Amino acid sequence: MNAPDRIDSLLEPHAIGMPLERIEGQAKVTGTAPYAFEHPVGTPLYLRALQATIARGRVSAVDVSAAQALAGVVAVITHENAPRLASDDDKELWVLQSDEVHFRGQFVGAVVAETPEVARQAADLVRVQYAEQPHDVTLRADRDDLYTPEKVNGGSPADTAEGDVDEALRRASITLDQTYTTPMEHNNPMEPHTTVALWEDGTLTLYDSTQGVHAVRTKLATVFGLAPERIRVSATHVGGGFGSKGVPHAHVVLAALAAQAAPGRPVKFALTRQQMFCLVGYRTPTIQRLRLGADEQGRLTAIVHDVIVQTSRIKQFTEQAAVPSRVMYAARNRRTTHRLAALDVPVPSWMRAPGEAPGMFAGEVAMDEMAIACGLDPIEFRIRNDPEKDPETGHPWSGRNLIGCLREGARRFGWDRRDPTPGIRRHNGWLSGTGVASATYPCFSQAGSAASIQYGPGEHYAVRIGAVDIGTGSWTALTQIAADALDCPVAAIRLEIGDTRLPFATVEGGSMGITCWGSAIVAAARAFREEHGAQPAEGAQTTAAMQENPDSKRFSLHSFGAHFAEVHVHADTGEIRVPRMLGVFSAGRIINPRTARSQFIGGMTMGVSMALLEVSIMDPRFGHVVNHDFAEYHIASNADIADLDAIWLDEHDAHANPMGSRGIGEIGIVGAAAAIVNAAWHATGIRVRELPLTPDKFLS
Ligand code: MOS
C-alpha cells in the first residue's frame, strides 16, 4: 500500500476534547477491576524466588532436600534442574540456565508450593553456596574502561558533532563548564510486578502486569522457542509501570519456567517491593558535563553535553541523556557524547522519560547558570536561543511552542514581579525563590499497531486492539477517539484492550500509545465505513493497521513545556519545600483534559520526587541497594505536593497523527527537577548540581 502524501486529520471531533471520567474508574474504586495477581484462576500455586547473595561469581552447590521435604512443596527449581530455554539473545531473560551470578539479587532458584507461606518457608530452607569473585559496582567519571556504545536508547547515535566546539568555546565571550550528577533511581509503580503463568497442552497463558501484552508474547516466544500463537498474555488493568513494565523482565520467565513443573495449574508470582529494587530495571546514575559558550548578546555559540552512565555486564542499555541537547537550543557548534561503564549491577532500563529526565535536569540547570552569567533573565535567555528549525535535522517543527509556554507561564506565575537577586527573600526563617526550566519530549511512533471494529450484536461497535492501560487513561481516550473516528456517540463504543487475542499493538511506552493505537483505530474506522457504510449490517467487521505518517520524515515532532517552581529553603535546617509549581505544555490536541491533566501533574509530582527525594544507595561492598523499600526510598507523597497545576496551549498538530495530538505521558517529569534546583538557587544563592536536593547541600 502506498503511504498517503500527507496525514489525514480528524478535523471535526466531538468526543475528543471532552473531560470524560475514566470508563474503568468505577470498577477500580469498587475493587472489581482484576489486576494480574487477582485474576480468577482455579487452585493456584505460589512461587517464591531464591536470589543470589553475591554480586559476581558462581553457584557452587545447592541443597534443596529440606525444602523438598516440606509438605505442600510442589517443586524446587535451580539451574541444575530447570527446563532448558531456547534463546540466550537476551541474557537478562536467560533464567536458571547456568551457575553464573552477574549481580546481587539475580534469580538462582524458585520454590513452587500450595500456599505462599509454605513457598516462603521452603525457600528459606534451600542452602546455596557460592564461589565468589570480586565485583565492581561503582560508576566514576575517571574509570579507564568507559566505552562508546553503538547506539543509545531510542536508536540514535551515541555521539553527534557539528561545527568546531573547541574553537567556539575559545572565542566565546561567556562560557560555562560544569558537571551535574543524578543518582540511581528506581521505578516504583503501586502495583508490584506480577505474573500468573499456566501451561495447558503446550500452550502458555500469562496474566501479567505489563505495559505491552504483545511485547511480552513476542519476547517469550523467542525465549521459549514457541510459536507466538501458543502464548496468550492478558493485562486488563495495570497499576502503573513508568517503564519498568515496558519489557518483560526475568520474573516473567521464572514464572513460566516454574509453571512447567505443574502443567494445568496456574502459578502466581508477585515480586515484593524489595525485589523490585534489583529485578525490574532502574534509572542509571548519570555524570554529565555541560559546556556552553555565548556571545555578548547572550546567543549560544557552542553546546557540549558529555554523558557517562552505567549498564550491566549481561545486557547493554544506554540512557540517552545528551539527546535532548540535540534539539533544545540554537548554536552553530554542538557536540554530544555518551560513554558507558559495564558493571556487576542489575540491568538498567526505562524509567519515565529515560534520557530526557536526567539530561534536561543537567541542561536546564546549565541554562539557568548561563543566563545569569550573561546577565539575562532565564526566560529571555531561552527565547533568544530558541531555534527556528530542528538544529539536528534542519526540519521544521510540527509545533514547537516553547516560547508560548514560557510566556504564558511567566504571566500566570507572576514572573514580572521577580527580583533576580538570589538569597534576599527571608520570612520566618525560610528563604524563598522562583525558578524556570524548559521541557521537551519526542513524539515517537512505531509501525505495526492494528485494530478491528465490529458492529453488533446490539447497537454498538466493538473496537478491539491489544493495547494496555497502565493507569494513564487509555481506556477512556481510545474510546473517545473511536467514537469520533466512527462518528457515533461514546456510549456506542465497547472498547476491548489488554489481550494478545486482540490485534497487535505496540507497547505503552515512549509516550506513543495514543499516537500508535489511536492511528490504528482511525485507520480501522475509515476502512470499516468504506466497506460497510454508515448503516452496517449486524456482525460487519473490518481490521486495519495504522498507516505510516509521511510527515514524520519531513517535520521534527516534539512536545515542549515550561515549568515554574517556587521553593522555600529553611535557612537553619536546609529543609526544602515546593509550595507552588506550574507546568505549561505544548503537546498538540489534548484528547481528554481530565486524564491528560493527571498525566501532566503526575509527571510533575515525579519531578518533585526526583528533585527532593529519590536516590537509590548502592553499597559497593555487597552490590545491592540498601534503601530498598518505602521506609527508606522516599517518593513524593501528599504532604510534599502543595499548589501544583498544569495547563496547556490550545493546539492541533496537523503532522503528528490523525488526532492532532502528541504524547503526554512523560514530558511532565522532564525539566521539573531543574526548575526546582533553579528556584533553590534563587532562594539561597547556593547552586546545587547533584540530585537530590537534600538539606545538607544548603548548609555549607
Ligand atoms: Mo515509558 S519510561 O517509555 O514506559
Side-chain angles (χ1 to χ4, degrees):
M1 186 166 66
N2 288 332
D5 188 46
R6 60 162 285 130
I7 191 160
D8 193 4
S9 293
L10 281 181
L11 285 171
E12 289 177 50
H14 308 283
I16 290 179
M18 299 282 283
L20 295 189
E21 290 179 11
R22 287 166 192 266
I23 60 173
E24 84 287 13
Q26 194 177 356
K28 278 182 173 168
V29 297
T30 55
T32 57
Y35 289 75
F37 197 78
E38 296 129 10
H39 208 93
V41 289
T43 48
L45 297 165
Y46 296 87
L47 188 154
R48 180 79 183 179
L50 302 167
Q51 295 174 266
T53 56
I54 61 165
R56 189 180 189 189
R58 289 178 182 280
V59 174
S60 55
V62 200
D63 179 359
V64 301
S65 53
Q68 217 126 36
L70 202 66
V73 170
V74 174
V76 183
I77 303 151
T78 68
H79 73 276
E80 290 175 353
N81 63 346
R84 296 294 96 188
L85 294 171
S87 165
D88 69 349
D89 285 353
D90 184 338
K91 284 284 196 308
E92 184 187 3
L93 304 181
W94 193 234
V95 177
L96 303 189
Q97 301 300 295
S98 88
D99 58 359
E100 292 168 39
V101 175
H102 301 283
F103 59 89
R104 189 178 163 116
Q106 178 193 306
F107 291 133
V108 293
V111 173
V112 179
E114 296 288 345
T115 70
E117 292 81 7
V118 169
R120 185 170 186 163
Q121 186 187 356
D124 288 345
L125 293 172
V126 177
R127 293 283 159 261
V128 183
Q129 289 181 318
Y130 299 95
E132 196 171 354
Q133 290 159 12
H135 63 259
D136 182 355
V137 299
T138 308
L139 181 68
R140 291 187 325 271
D142 62 353
R143 293 183 67 99
D144 59 12
D145 59 349
L146 298 174
Y147 68 98
T148 309
E150 231 172 79
K151 293 261 160 83
V152 296
N153 178 50
S156 48
D159 294 1
T160 58
E162 172 116 12
D164 186 342
V165 286
D166 301 310
E167 176 65 12
L169 285 168
R170 264 195 301 278
R171 298 173 68 137
S173 306
I174 299 131
T175 56
L176 170 133
D177 182 352
Q178 292 291 354
T179 297
Y180 305 84
T181 62
T182 62
M184 177 189 244
E185 298 160 0
H186 276 83
N187 313 48
N188 272 291
M190 284 307 290
E191 183 201 17
H193 297 64
T194 300
T195 303
V196 182
L198 169 66
W199 287 93
E200 276 172 318
D201 309 320
T203 70
L204 174 63
T205 301
L206 296 168
Y207 300 99
D208 189 35
S209 183
T210 177
Q211 294 173 225
V213 286
H214 285 279
V216 172
R217 169 157 90 168
T218 306
K219 198 82 179 189
L220 261 69
T222 306
V223 172
F224 282 88
L226 286 173
E229 302 76 56
R230 289 177 53 199
I231 301 177
R232 178 194 165 205
V233 184
S234 161
T236 323
H237 300 286
V238 177
F242 307 119
S244 66
K245 297 171 183 172
V247 291
H249 295 289
H251 65 280
V252 184
V253 176
L254 185 67
L257 265 183
Q260 287 184 326
R265 292 199 63 185
V267 170
K268 290 191 168 190
F269 182 24
L271 292 188
T272 65
R273 184 64 57 180
Q274 291 191 339
Q275 288 172 331
M276 288 165 60
F277 280 80
C278 52
L279 289 159
V280 296
Y282 60 92
R283 198 194 300 284
T284 164
T286 71
I287 303 167
Q288 305 179 56
R289 183 177 178 198
L290 260 295
R291 277 171 285 176
L292 302 176
D295 64 18
E296 256 146 38
Q297 285 76 49
R299 290 203 168 75
L300 288 168
T301 53
I303 300 173
V304 186
H305 194 166
D306 296 313
V307 168
I308 298 169
V309 290
Q310 77 186 35
T311 187
S312 65
R313 279 202 215 281
I314 52 167
K315 183 172 169 178
Q316 183 170 297
F317 175 87
T318 313
E319 179 103 10
Q320 75 284 16
V323 164
S325 290
R326 296 173 186 171
V327 298
M328 275 311 293
Y329 299 109
R332 196 162 305 140
N333 307 287
R334 298 184 312 279
R335 189 166 74 210
T336 60
T337 67
H338 296 85
R339 297 293 174 267
L340 266 179
L343 305 175
D344 303 306
V345 292
V347 186
S349 184
W350 299 332
M351 179 164 170
R352 203 173 198 167
E356 279 78 13
M360 286 288 281
F361 157 70
E364 288 297 301
V365 176
M367 284 296 284
D368 200 62
E369 297 199 60
M370 194 63 177
I372 292 155
C374 292
L376 287 172
D377 176 84
I379 293 177
E380 173 55 29
F381 182 57
R382 286 172 172 84
I383 290 172
R384 219 168 265 198
N385 289 290
D386 195 66
E388 256 172 62
K389 297 179 296 184
D390 185 327
E392 200 82 356
T393 61
H395 291 154
W397 307 103
S398 74
R400 174 172 173 133
N401 203 350
L402 174 58
I403 293 176
C405 295
L406 288 164
R407 292 219 163 109
E408 179 63 11
R411 192 179 69 76
R412 291 185 182 234
F413 206 70
W415 195 259
D416 60 345
R417 296 189 298 274
R418 182 183 190 258
D419 181 335
T421 317
I424 57 165
R425 288 152 300 273
R426 188 169 173 149
H427 186 67
N428 287 341
W430 291 85
L431 293 159
S432 69
T434 48
V436 67
S438 305
T440 189
Y441 198 82
C443 177
F444 291 120
S445 73
Q446 199 180 331
S449 293
S452 80
I453 293 173
Q454 182 187 321
Y455 183 68
E459 289 183 6
H460 72 265
Y461 296 88
V463 177
R464 301 185 171 111
I465 180 165
V468 177
D469 187 331
I470 61 173
T472 53
S474 310
W475 272 106
T476 316
L478 293 179
T479 300
Q480 290 171 260
I481 292 166
D484 282 358
L486 286 162
D487 194 16
C488 72
V490 165
I493 303 294
R494 304 259 167 98
L495 182 72
E496 295 175 34
I497 61 171
D499 203 305
T500 49
R501 289 171 173 173
L502 306 169
F504 179 88
T506 48
V507 74
E508 168 112 68
S511 298
M512 67 179 181
I514 291 298
T515 287
C516 298
W517 312 331
S519 299
I521 288 172
V522 169
R526 290 194 174 135
F528 182 92
R529 287 293 183 225
E530 262 170 42
E531 278 175 48
H532 305 294
Q535 261 95 46
E538 195 154 293
Q541 191 185 329
T542 300
T543 302
M546 75 176 267
Q547 293 177 348
E548 201 191 320
N549 175 10
D551 285 357
S552 68
K553 291 188 185 70
R554 298 201 292 252
F555 290 87
S556 185
L557 306 172
H558 297 262
S559 288
F560 290 91
H563 294 281
F564 293 79
E566 179 178 336
V567 162
H568 293 178
V569 181
H570 197 278
D572 299 324
T573 66
E575 183 182 348
I576 176 165
R577 310 295 300 168
V578 182
R580 193 160 64 105
M581 203 165 170
L582 172 69
V584 186
F585 297 95
S586 155
R589 177 185 274 153
I590 297 304
I591 308 291
N592 180 325
R594 184 190 300 257
T595 54
R597 183 171 181 277
S598 267
Q599 284 297 291
F600 286 131
I601 66 173
M604 291 168 68
T605 300
M606 209 161 160
V608 174
S609 205
M610 175 183 179
L612 304 187
L613 301 164
E614 293 196 42
V615 51
S616 306
I617 299 160
M618 173 66 79
D619 187 332
R621 296 168 303 169
F622 304 105
H624 77 307
V625 171
V626 183
N627 56 332
H628 57 177
D629 54 39
F630 279 164
E632 295 185 88
Y633 185 95
H634 293 168
I635 56 172
S637 56
N638 299 40
D640 299 302
I641 303 300
D643 174 6
L644 186 147
D645 201 8
I647 58 167
W648 47 87
L649 306 179
D650 191 19
E651 291 182 343
H652 179 124
D653 190 325
H655 309 293
N657 59 44
M659 293 75 66
S661 64
R662 295 193 295 262
I664 56 171
E666 284 158 287
I667 191 167
I669 191 176
V670 180
I676 291 166
V677 166
N678 296 341
W681 171 82
H682 187 231
T684 62
I686 295 170
R687 178 62 69 179
V688 179
R689 301 187 183 89
E690 177 193 2
L691 287 184
L693 291 179
T694 45
D696 53 294
K697 296 183 176 112
F698 296 101
L699 298 175
S700 55

